[in-house]
Amino acid sequence: MGAWSETGSFNVGGSTTIIGPTETVTNGLADITWNTVDAASSYELYLYFDTTGDVIQHFYNVDSTSWRFQPLQVGDYRVWVRSHYPDGSPASWSQALCFAVTNTAAFLSATPQSPLTPTFASTPTFQWTASAATAAFNLYLTDGMTVIYETDIPT
């Protein structure tokens, strides 16, 4: 019997491939899409702002194969996606997708009214004020692991 070979590494499961955006983002709203990975229970996204060298957004437990980063400043970005399996183990990160934001839309901002301090309420009521021109809101909540993202909340 001979000696053991050199060690090697391998990855069981599929890797995530980012599909888009395929063009420059001209409205500040980057729609990221990626392929479905067999047996994946969720995905994790990581957005890096090359222009400043800052991590802009990092999302866990995303349950779809698309995500809208909004609003983004003018500049250059890189995004990575990886799948997570039902046992909690992550796959390898995708290759980075580089994209540029060349223009931003005139975004309307909302001003939070409540809750403004920590609360023990299990069903807090969120209130905010905004411009009369606002048609709808998006609400993003996270505790660092769980994401609640509600879109198109009417005014």
Side-chain angles (χ1 to χ4, degrees), residues 11-16 37-42 83-92:
N11 184 2
V12 176
S15 65
T16 307
V37 175
D38 290 340
S41 60
S42 67
S83 56
H84 285 257
Y85 297 99
D87 67 359
S89 62
S92 299

Side-chain angles (χ1 to χ4, degrees), residues 33-56:
T33 56
W34 57 93
N35 67 308
T36 300
V37 175
D38 290 340
S41 60
S42 67
Y43 299 92
E44 179 180 354
L45 286 81
Y46 185 86
L47 181 66
Y48 183 80
F49 191 26
D50 282 331
T51 304
T52 63
D54 294 325
V55 174
I56 300 298

Side-chain angles (χ1 to χ4, degrees), residues 29-130:
L29 306 175
D31 291 313
I32 309 299
T33 56
W34 57 93
N35 67 308
T36 300
V37 175
D38 290 340
S41 60
S42 67
Y43 299 92
E44 179 180 354
L45 286 81
Y46 185 86
L47 181 66
Y48 183 80
F49 191 26
D50 282 331
T51 304
T52 63
D54 294 325
V55 174
I56 300 298
Q57 297 175 3
H58 191 176
F59 296 103
Y60 299 89
N61 295 322
V62 175
D63 62 1
S64 68
T65 57
S66 65
W67 190 264
R68 173 172 275 180
F69 289 110
Q70 60 181 346
L72 298 176
Q73 301 173 42
V74 171
D76 296 316
Y77 293 85
R78 279 186 280 170
V79 63
W80 293 265
V81 178
R82 69 177 172 181
S83 56
H84 285 257
Y85 297 99
D87 67 359
S89 62
S92 299
W93 286 102
S94 66
Q95 292 290 321
L97 175 78
C98 300
F99 65 95
V101 174
T102 58
N103 190 16
T104 58
F107 292 104
L108 303 172
S109 63
T111 304
Q113 298 298 308
S114 72
L116 296 176
T117 59
T119 179
F120 289 104
S122 61
T123 56
T125 299
F126 293 91
Q127 296 176 320
W128 54 86
T129 59

